[in-house]
Amino acid sequence: MSKLDKDQVIEKFTEAYKSAHGKTPTVEAKGGWYSIDGGKNVRLSALEEMTNDLASSGSNTKTAKKKPSKSDNKAATKTKTSKNPKGKSSFSVKDYWQEKIIAQNPGSKLPR
């Protein structure tokens, strides 16, 4: 695993974000975590992956802005219908741990 230089990674991310979205992001650093535009906190390695994604999709978004294709519209409608209408997931952490405890130790009692 290579060492990442935070200044270089943030600079590259800022450039890729600006080219993809047309505005400069606000990057807040707290204890090794980075928050982009007040969103979810990510580590430096995730920030580098986001840079690569933005750089690779940056050319795609520029062409999509000029002329949207039918395949883009179909993909957008598929993602809208795949989400749960209420916006909630059916996954429950409590149920997950109950199933895990029972699977590891059959006959054990569940925590309260």
Side-chain angles (χ1 to χ4, degrees):
M1 189 169 160
S2 65
K3 285 229 168 211
L4 300 173
D5 182 25
K6 69 177 186 177
D7 295 328
Q8 287 179 341
V9 172
I10 292 173
E11 183 180 329
K12 288 179 183 178
F13 176 77
T14 303
E15 291 173 7
Y17 188 92
K18 190 172 183 179
S19 66
H21 297 286
K23 65 175 187 167
T24 306
T26 57
V27 179
E28 297 176 15
K30 290 185 182 178
W33 292 90
Y34 297 89
S35 176
I36 311 303
D37 288 334
K40 183 178 175 183
N41 293 335
V42 294
R43 288 287 192 179
L44 193 61
S45 59
L47 196 63
E48 185 177 38
E49 291 174 7
M50 290 170 60
T51 303
N52 295 336
D53 292 343
L54 286 172
S56 65
S57 67
S59 60
N60 295 341
T61 56
K62 288 178 184 177
T63 57
K65 287 180 182 177
K66 292 178 183 177
K67 185 177 179 184
S69 64
K70 291 181 182 180
S71 62
D72 292 338
N73 293 338
K74 289 180 183 179
T77 57
K78 287 181 183 179
T79 57
K80 289 179 184 176
T81 57
S82 65
K83 289 185 179 179
N84 195 351
K86 293 182 181 178
K88 294 186 179 180
S89 173
S90 63
F91 179 78
S92 170
V93 175
K94 183 177 179 181
D95 293 337
Y96 169 78
W97 281 105
Q98 287 178 352
E99 291 172 8
K100 185 174 180 175
I101 289 171
I102 291 172
Q104 287 179 351
N105 303 318
S108 64
K109 291 185 178 181
L110 297 175
R112 290 203 230 184

